[in-house]
Amino acid sequence: MKTLEDPSTKDVVAIKRTISKTLRSRLRERGVTVASIARDTGTSRTAIRRVLDEDNTSITLHTMVRTAFSLGYRVRLVLEPSIEKIERVAPPVEVEPLMRELGESLDRLPMRR
Amino acid sequence: MNIIVPHQIRKKELGGEVAVEVRKLFAKLKEKPELAAGISAPGLPSRTTLHKVYATTESGARRLLFFCRRPMPVPASGGVPQTPAATTDRWVLLFYRDKSDSVGKNMSPKNADFTRQLAKNLSLAIQDIANSTADNPRYDLF
């Protein structure tokens, strides 16, 4: 089960918060109603309210993108590389002299500017 | 933290150049050095660890292996001033593999392929680091 501490859940919450805030702000600027957005996008007012509710992450990508589009935005998703974990590896005994040698070479290496 | 990519490792593991995807991973690593905090290394030469990094990129799951060297402790009574190099951890890239690669899938001494290729890559890294000069570095620094 995903918890709030889970990094992916944190990402989802942060993304939704940003999108909802931005769209709500645009809605106010333009003076449009939830009902008119629902009409434009061919969906229900409840669905639009879910998009605008920053705590609600249960929306479809389709509804979110169409709502944003009707308010003059395009949504782009960028996938960034992620690091899941780092762990120590036990080196094979055979390479220990090489590891020692590399360590000593690194100690002698001056830092580049 | 400095990430060092010896030129021969760059050629062998990264196909000759450090792609944007790899640079992004390095940036992530440098952002989160705490990920590696607390990793102890009994039985290894002092100040030395091998770190395996589990990463996901646009091209798929990757497994990286770094040789990590921590700086020498500062002597309490002064002593010889340290060079700037000696004040930060240095991570030398040894492997950049697909998760399903013969080395990537099992980076442990039980994997004969890993042991053989690790010895080879350590030797390549040593050649580049030991033969680097200030005017002619044989590594990339991130």
Side-chain angles (χ1 to χ4, degrees), chain A residues 84 87-88 106-107 112, chain B residues 40 52 54 56 90 139:
Chain A
E84 292 138 42
E87 67 182 23
R88 185 178 66 84
L106 279 172
D107 287 345
R112 266 164 57 190
Chain B
S40 61
K52 179 182 180 181
Y54 295 72
T56 304
R90 290 171 152 183
Y139 60 90

Side-chain angles (χ1 to χ4, degrees), chain B residues 74-130:
Chain B
V74 180
S77 57
V80 181
Q82 291 195 316
T83 63
T87 60
T88 185
D89 287 5
R90 290 171 152 183
W91 289 40
V92 180
L93 181 71
L94 293 175
F95 287 120
Y96 185 88
R97 297 297 174 97
D98 190 279
K99 178 188 173 185
S100 54
D101 172 89
S102 68
V103 169
K105 70 182 175 193
N106 182 14
M107 289 183 176
S108 82
K110 290 177 186 165
N111 180 355
D113 209 17
F114 168 70
T115 301
R116 191 174 48 77
Q117 293 200 45
L118 177 60
K120 195 178 282 183
N121 283 12
L122 278 167
S123 297
L124 294 176
I126 291 166
Q127 282 174 23
D128 280 344
I129 301 296

Side-chain angles (χ1 to χ4, degrees), chain A residues 34-51:
Chain A
V34 169
S36 69
I37 300 288
R39 264 196 311 277
D40 286 352
T41 56
T43 187
S44 66
R45 282 176 291 177
T46 308
I48 302 299
R49 283 198 192 96
R50 279 203 293 265
V51 173

Side-chain angles (χ1 to χ4, degrees), chain A residues 14 33-34 40 45 48 51 58 64 66-67 71 76 83 87 93 102 110 113:
Chain A
T33 63
V34 169
D40 286 352
R45 282 176 291 177
I48 302 299
V51 173
S58 301
M64 184 181 76
R66 288 183 72 172
T67 306
L71 288 166
R76 287 179 57 213
I83 291 170
E87 67 182 23
V93 179
L102 179 55
R113 298 284 175 192

